Amino acid sequence: MSSSDTNSAAWLDAPGTPFVVREAPMPPTPASHEVVLRIHAVAINPIDSHRQKAGMYTPSYPYILGFDAAGTVVSFGNEVKGFTAGDKVIALTDEYITHLSSHSFFQRFAVTGNRPLCKIPDGLKFEDACVLPVGVCTAAGMLFEKESLDLEWPTLDKDVRATRNHDGEIVVVWGASSSVGCSAIQLLRAAGYRVLASASKRNFDLVRECGAEAVFDHSEADCVDKVCKWIEDKKLQLAGVLAVLINPDVHQKCAQVAQRLPGNKFVSTSLPRGIVPEPDLGEGIKTSNCLGTSQRDLLEYMWNEWMPKALELGQLKCLPSAEVVGQGLEAVNHACEVMSKGVSGKKIVVSDI
């Protein structure tokens, strides 16, 4: 950073008020494990609009929000390895741990820990890349953490289905057109598992592009029956069910799938672990909550080893696609309003921060 650099942010001054763009402090010299980023594009998540309207999980005001970003590395502490100034990266905020506005991403310059942080290929646009962090991190936690489904991790091996013995296993992803769902399907395919998905009919092509072998319309009353029949006809074993959508009715439908099929009777939800109780899904059905990845070795593998190479090879695609609804921090209000009205099969993005 030069002495001429200035920071600005979309400040939230009180719950239920619009963001106001004004000057913000420049980040301090990063601690040994920290990285300072110049933010170029941000993706909007439901939690951002919820926090704006209700003030949830916000320690004080005025405050800065923002979970998903793509940008460039400015500086970093002496314990940070593998990055240089100018590297293009995607990042997931650690503000929910630090409770510091300087670590949120609705601003030009921000601080983050060195995990999760991932280099991206030069040819990948910031506005496309920023759709990934929350989706990948949450999906990885739901699938691979020991407290969740504890499945085998993704690999770069193109012949993974031949080299791993999972061809008779399938994972059901309920709500697959969301950013978490799209990430989950891609991670599962890279780990060698077969995937069946549910989504709205208009998003079937997106879900298939991610790698789902079959997809059913979860708005149909007999969707559970169709899912179970397809898997039974193929004589497959269930490796688990992902309840991506946060909805009690969805959780119960996922439990019905797990109850009726042979295999792992486990429903992994995207509810925040430690904050919301795990749902009661009936006798014999195991479950866990997981919003993000907290297992250190998994976090390091995903962000430092697998993701950068998977992006280069095209094994990991930036799906769902970005819908850029504005440029600059002034567009964050509109972007959060669009998100609050409901989004399906796309990720709302603000570019040119």
Side-chain angles (χ1 to χ4, degrees), residues 178-198:
S178 67
S179 60
V180 176
C182 288
S183 295
I185 295 170
Q186 295 185 81
L187 297 183
L188 283 164
R189 292 305 299 267
Y193 295 92
R194 300 171 71 169
V195 185
L196 180 148
S198 85

Side-chain angles (χ1 to χ4, degrees), residues 121-168:
D122 287 338
L124 185 57
K125 295 179 180 179
F126 290 123
E127 54 264 38
D128 293 326
C130 71
V131 309
L132 289 174
V134 164
V136 169
C137 214
T138 302
M142 295 173 73
L143 293 169
F144 307 124
E145 283 196 337
K146 295 185 186 303
E147 294 179 59
S148 298
L149 286 179
D150 195 20
L151 301 178
E152 280 203 87
W153 297 358
T155 174
L156 298 168
D157 183 0
K158 292 181 180 179
D159 299 319
V160 61
R161 281 187 64 176
T163 56
R164 288 185 175 176
N165 190 27
H166 298 306
D167 212 40

